């Protein structure tokens, strides 16, 4: 019996999973994170058993359907069954078809930025008094390949370590978590210096973890930009400067923190932060060229 599934979310490349251990799916869970606003934070669980894969709804708000019928008890999936939750679907596939190395995906940074953009059809009704903040985007380099290498259960454990390191440092530096999707974060800080210091400490903590457990090494890409943003009643942030931060993060390499020229100018006056050679980049969807600056974070 197959123990692999293909998970589809509108607007994204399919996600292929071999189910070796129990794994959750939702908007904010310890497993697979999706952006669909119609699904719950912990929506459903997939678990292997002797006869295949069991799907269980975790008390979701909008429910889960199996072949169009409500899922009200754990259910063993069969070939041809279609699980529907929100705009997402899930189906069994053969193990041979479930190798995620053959299923390229957009970056988690794109996922987070897109989730922010999709939360509102129009900015016209939103508050515009959020002021000037520093926006940070991050994700794990080559996360799909690392997930394949480690296996689902080990990857979920490592993702939890990564998330805990990020969240602990964000709290310490008075930042705020805006979005988390997949292995990516969108964060905001009242201080540009605090944002750079926070993400430098995150990078150092991940480096220390990799040195102590080389088989669990991961590297993250980080981008920062400062500007005035639009804020809704739930505290979500929108606007051009959010997009700029996301695009800068997508230019970063694993283990790198890139900042915009404005962030560099704001934090440079004290001389306590070090930067590498600037580089000129083109940012997707944004006219012209832009200068970005790598932070030399290895020494506190």
């Amino acid at each position: 019996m197959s123990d692999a599934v293909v998970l589809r979310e509108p607007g994204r490349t399919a996600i292929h999973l071999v189910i070796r251990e129990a794994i959750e799916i939702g908007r904010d869970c310890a497993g697979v994170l999706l952006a669909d606003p119609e699904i719950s934070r912990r929506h459903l669980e997939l678990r292997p058993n002797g006869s295949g894969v069991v799907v269980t709804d975790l008390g979701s708000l909008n429910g889960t359907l199996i072949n169009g019928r409500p899922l009200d008890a754990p259910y063993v999936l069969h070939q041809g069954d279609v699980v529907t939750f929100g705009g997402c679907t899930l189906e069994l596939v053969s193990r041979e078809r479930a190798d995620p190395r053959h299923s390229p995906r957009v970056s988690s940074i794109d996922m987070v930025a897109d989730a922010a953009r999709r939360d509102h059809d129009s900015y016209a009704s939103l508050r515009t008094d959020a002021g000037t903040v520093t926006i940070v985007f991050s994700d794990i380099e080559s996360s799909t390949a690392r997930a394949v290498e480690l296996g689902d259960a080990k990857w979920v454990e490592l993702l939890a370590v990564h998330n805990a390191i990020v969240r602990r440092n964000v709290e310490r530096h008075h930042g705020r978590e805006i979005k988390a999707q997949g292995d990516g974060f969108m964060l905001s800080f009242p201080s540009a210096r605090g944002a750079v210091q926070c993400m430098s400490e995150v990078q150092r903590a991940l480096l220390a973890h990799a040195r102590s457990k080389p088989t669990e090494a991961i590297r993250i890409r980080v981008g920062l930009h400062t500007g005035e943003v639009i804020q809704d009643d739930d505290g979500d942030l929108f606007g051009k400067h959010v997009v700029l931060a996301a695009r800068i993060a997508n230019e970063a390499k694993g283990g790198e923190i890139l900042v915009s020229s404005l962030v560099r100018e704001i934090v440079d006056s004290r001389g306590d932060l070090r930067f590498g050679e600037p580089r000129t980049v083109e940012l997707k969807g944004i006219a012209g060229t832009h200068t970005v600056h790598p932070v030399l974070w290895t020494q506190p």
Side-chain angles (χ1 to χ4, degrees), residues 226-246:
T226 298
E228 290 191 347
V229 297
I230 300 169
Q231 178 176 286
D232 71 1
D233 291 335
D234 294 325
D236 289 342
L237 303 180
F238 309 88
K240 175 184 177 181
H241 296 293
V242 173
V243 177
L244 268 167

Side-chain angles (χ1 to χ4, degrees), residues 101-120:
R101 289 171 293 187
H102 302 299
S103 181
R105 299 178 59 194
V106 297
S107 75
S108 293
I109 292 166
D110 290 322
M111 290 175 64
V112 180
D114 183 60
R117 289 194 298 270
R118 289 195 301 158
D119 276 353
H120 284 274

Side-chain angles (χ1 to χ4, degrees), residues 90-102:
L90 186 150
E91 299 178 72
L92 280 177
V93 295
S94 65
R95 182 187 289 265
E96 291 73 19
R97 291 175 55 202
D99 186 349
R101 289 171 293 187
H102 302 299

Side-chain angles (χ1 to χ4, degrees), residues 20-41:
R20 300 185 181 93
E21 303 285 345
I23 187 168
E24 293 182 356
I25 298 175
R27 290 189 298 107
D28 184 11
C29 64
V32 178
L33 299 178
L34 301 177
D36 189 341
E38 297 300 315
I39 69 174
S40 296
R41 295 180 181 274

Side-chain angles (χ1 to χ4, degrees), residues 32 49 81 131 199 225 227:
V32 178
N49 73 358
D81 287 336
M199 299 316 295
H225 178 62

Side-chain angles (χ1 to χ4, degrees), residues 193-211:
R193 177 177 301 278
V196 174
Q197 290 173 332
C198 173
M199 299 316 295
S200 296
E201 290 186 15
V202 169
Q203 292 283 28
R204 288 193 285 267
L206 289 172
L207 179 61
H209 179 80
R211 287 171 173 169

